[in-house]
Amino acid sequence: MTGESDDDLFDSWTKSEDDEMQRALAGEMVNSGVDTDLSAIQPNPTAAHVALSWALRDTLLCGYRSAMSGEEDKHPFPEDMWSVTHALLRLSLIMTAHIKT
C-alpha cells in the first residue's frame, strides 16, 4: 500500500534517523549501549584532550550535515592518507571488538 500517508510516515522516520545521527555525532550516545564516560578512559582529561574532543565532534557533525545537504565536502580527505587511515580504522575495530552494543 502506497500513498500520501506512507510518504509522510517515511519522511518522519527519515527525519527522526537524521536527528538521532546528529545527536550521536555530537556525543549524545544515551541509546547506543556504549559507555561514553570519558573518565573511565582518562580520569583527569587535560585541556588539550577536551579541546580535541570538541574539535573532532564539530568536524564530524559538520561533515555529516554538509553531506546530507549535498554540499561539497568542507574537509576533503587527502588521497595519500587513505592507506594510513584504513590501517588506523582496522586497528580501532580490532581494539574495540569486545564492546557489545
Side-chain angles (χ1 to χ4, degrees):
M1 178 174 159
T2 61
E4 188 175 319
S5 62
D6 292 336
D7 291 342
D8 291 343
L9 182 59
F10 180 79
D11 290 343
S12 73
W13 286 342
T14 302
K15 174 72 173 120
S16 175
E17 289 297 321
D18 178 52
D19 291 343
E20 292 301 318
M21 178 59 84
Q22 290 188 59
R23 284 188 183 102
L25 291 173
E28 184 182 303
M29 304 289 263
V30 176
N31 294 322
S32 72
V34 176
D35 184 9
T36 59
D37 181 11
L38 293 179
S39 66
I41 300 167
Q42 188 172 12
N44 299 307
T46 64
H49 181 263
V50 172
L52 179 61
S53 295
W54 284 99
L56 290 173
R57 181 213 64 181
D58 291 349
T59 302
L60 284 171
L61 196 52
C62 178
Y64 175 79
R65 286 179 174 165
S66 64
M68 290 301 288
S69 299
E71 299 172 6
E72 187 173 325
D73 192 351
K74 293 179 176 139
H75 304 286
F77 197 78
E79 288 187 34
D80 62 335
M81 295 294 293
W82 286 0
S83 63
V84 173
T85 303
H86 183 259
L88 180 61
L89 289 172
R90 287 190 64 185
L91 178 61
S92 299
L93 290 171
I94 290 168
M95 296 298 294
T96 58
H98 67 284
I99 298 174
K100 305 287 188 226
T101 58

